[in-house]
Amino acid sequence: MVSALTGWHLLILLVALLPLLLALVSIVRSPRLSTGYKVLWIVIVFVFPFLGPLVWFLFGRTMNPGPSTRA
């Protein structure tokens, strides 16, 4: 089965997985979110692998879950 993969199949797979991977990296590196919110977003992205990253990039990156603890 694996030997039947061509360059086009791998390209399509990469294009499908790229938003998922970029969303996960963006969530983990987000300084605005607490650990709990990060875990929640990661679960959402894994449960909804196509819709989750889209929702994260449209709404999640700009959300402010509460007052900042930074001075």
Side-chain angles (χ1 to χ4, degrees):
M1 177 79 181
V2 176
S3 64
L5 290 177
T6 65
W8 287 108
H9 291 109
L10 294 176
L11 181 64
I12 292 169
L13 182 64
L14 178 67
V15 168
L17 290 178
L18 190 62
L20 179 88
L21 295 174
L22 290 175
L24 290 174
V25 170
S26 177
I27 291 166
V28 170
R29 295 185 63 179
S30 176
R32 304 176 104 196
L33 298 178
S34 67
T35 303
Y37 278 106
K38 288 180 183 182
V39 170
L40 178 64
W41 273 109
I42 289 170
V43 168
I44 290 170
V45 167
F46 272 118
V47 171
F48 304 104
F50 296 107
L51 186 61
L54 179 66
V55 172
W56 165 253
F57 286 118
L58 290 177
F59 304 110
R61 290 186 343 162
T62 59
M63 76 178 277
N64 190 2
S68 177
T69 58
R70 293 184 180 193

